[in-house]
Amino acid sequence: MKGVNEKRLFVAACLALLVTAITFAIRARITSVFIDDYGLASEDVGRAMAPAFWGFAVAMFAGGYFIDIVKTKSIIWAAFFMHFIGIVLLLMAKDYTSLFIANVFLGLGNGSVEAACNPLVTALFPDKKTKMLNRFHVWFPGGIVVGSLLAAAIMDSLNLPWQVLVAMLFIPLAIYGFLFFGQEIPETERVSTGVSYKEMMRNVGAPVTITLTVIFMILVANVGSISDAVTSNYITPIIIILVIAVAIIVEGRLVNKITLLFPLIFGCMLLSASTELGTTTWIEKLLDNKGIHPMMILAVVTGLMAVGRFFAGSLVHRLNPPGVLIGSAIFSVAGLWLLSISTGAVMTVVSAAVFAVGVCYFWPTMIGVASEYVPKSGALGMSILGGAGFVATAMVLPIMGKSIQDAGPVETIKGMSVLPMILVLAFIFLYILVKNKKHA
């Protein structure tokens, strides 16, 4: 592309994602600080951390709907300033309210990175989208490795305050700001290929229902009375899911007259993201007293994820994206069950490695599936998936926190294994749909 420095922009995007990822590692480490030193309950910490996820979703949805109007560059700089404000506020956090507000800004910054950089990567590399999306997303687990090692070194080995750890975020923030400064940013793939905004909306399948569903999920994650009403029994969630499913079918098939492939991918993203991010965010409490520091386990998990994503191209080529997702779900189930029964350091590391193989390809491959098989969903489709993944995690965090308090870590891990069990069946169905679509 004329006037576009693909290599510099890709590196800048990767460093922006690095900042996002390090914030996740930092949150995983400082949950115990706010519980032990500041006196917050685990469920309250889960709610205070939740804006990092639903704020992510809000920014991604807004970016997906408006990126072609305000341009990718504007979303990138919004991410930079939201990150800056969020880091400053997190440094000053000392109670539930201040921690909550800091996570709102960090969530908005993180979501803006994904909203801008996923379509940027596909625009830069239109002929190898899934491969380069996996390489871009190397920096999410890679950043968590960096953050985990920094946390262990700064807070545990050097016994420095947690604020020193947070302040380290300013370094990659400054670098990615410098790399983006003054650069020509290409149009999104939708614009460059001439797909209309209306057609992009239609290819999402049920954009109104999906958007309203995510708004409802944000309310469940943040309004205690709504959350209690939804989780008070097993019947209410089932009824809500059935109502949403019917609404998606009506909007997608009867109104938009299009396949429901994207809504299926959307549903799978809710479960896959919760499996990955819910577990890693609570890892310090879930794997305490296993004979090895939880931050080391987090480093092992995310390190293996980074390596796997870097070499994802050949695996995706051999198995195709839905095949990769089926294997990922199976390994995720096995990893969580092994983690629930592990008793020593060695077994815990092996179990964590199995889990890492499982969740490794979930996120980028889900986005890649949408980009490959529903290409006209454009930047909006990618943003909806990323946003949905994080808002689902925002819902599951306080639920996991309560479960850890009431039932304990082992039962919580076993409960989480139900999500990838469902995904095994869903991805098999996705594989059949994609195969039939190819032969149609």
Side-chain angles (χ1 to χ4, degrees), residues 334-336 338-342 346-356:
L336 286 171
L338 287 171
L339 283 171
S340 72
I341 63 174
S342 64
V346 174
M347 186 176 178
T348 301
V349 170
V350 172
S351 303
V354 174
F355 176 72

Side-chain angles (χ1 to χ4, degrees), residues 131 135 308 310-320 324 361:
K131 175 182 177 181
R135 290 208 172 174
F310 186 82
F311 294 104
S314 59
L315 183 64
V316 171
H317 177 72
R318 290 178 184 177
L319 297 181
N320 76 40
V324 171
Y361 301 109

Side-chain angles (χ1 to χ4, degrees), residues 56-72 75 111-119 188 190-191 196-197 200-201 204 207 211 262 376-387:
F56 200 118
V58 169
M60 288 206 72
F61 267 69
Y65 277 109
F66 302 115
I67 188 170
D68 294 321
I69 298 172
V70 302
K71 304 302 180 185
T72 305
I75 305 294
S112 297
V113 167
E114 287 259 357
C117 293
N118 280 323
T188 64
R190 178 190 75 79
V191 173
S196 69
Y197 190 89
M200 178 178 70
M201 292 280 287
V204 168
T211 301
F262 187 89
K376 291 182 180 180
S377 62
L380 177 61
M382 288 184 278
S383 292
I384 283 176
L385 291 182

Side-chain angles (χ1 to χ4, degrees), residues 25-170:
I26 288 174
R27 273 191 296 272
R29 178 61 184 87
I30 67 175
T31 52
S32 60
V33 173
F34 281 86
I35 293 169
D36 299 335
D37 297 350
Y38 294 94
L40 297 180
S42 295
E43 186 175 359
D44 289 336
V45 171
R47 292 194 183 282
M49 297 294 187
F53 298 92
W54 62 253
F56 200 118
V58 169
M60 288 206 72
F61 267 69
Y65 277 109
F66 302 115
I67 188 170
D68 294 321
I69 298 172
V70 302
K71 304 302 180 185
T72 305
K73 180 178 287 189
S74 299
I75 305 294
I76 287 171
W77 286 111
F80 177 86
F81 288 110
M82 289 292 183
H83 270 155
F84 179 80
I85 295 169
I87 295 168
V88 172
L89 291 177
L90 184 57
L91 286 169
M92 299 186 292
K94 59 182 67 174
D95 54 24
Y96 173 84
T97 302
S98 56
L99 182 61
F100 182 94
I101 295 172
N103 276 297
V104 168
F105 280 94
L106 287 173
L108 292 172
N110 292 344
S112 297
V113 167
E114 287 259 357
C117 293
N118 280 323
L120 174 61
V121 171
T122 59
L124 292 173
F125 308 102
D127 298 327
K128 42 184 176 179
K129 292 185 283 190
T130 300
K131 175 182 177 181
M132 295 310 293
L133 280 169
N134 267 283
R135 290 208 172 174
F136 167 57
H137 282 277
V138 162
W139 292 94
F140 191 83
I144 294 178
V145 171
V146 172
S148 302
L149 296 177
L150 282 174
I154 291 171
M155 294 183 63
D156 300 313
S157 297
L158 299 177
N159 293 316
L160 294 174
W162 63 270
Q163 289 89 344
V164 175
L165 175 63
V166 173
M168 298 297 292
L169 287 166
F170 285 119

Side-chain angles (χ1 to χ4, degrees), residues 391-415:
V391 78
T393 308
M395 279 184 62
V396 84
L397 285 179
I399 295 172
M400 289 183 70
K402 192 173 189 330
S403 177
I404 291 169
Q405 285 181 175
D406 298 344
V410 171
E411 292 303 316
T412 302
I413 294 173
K414 287 180 179 179

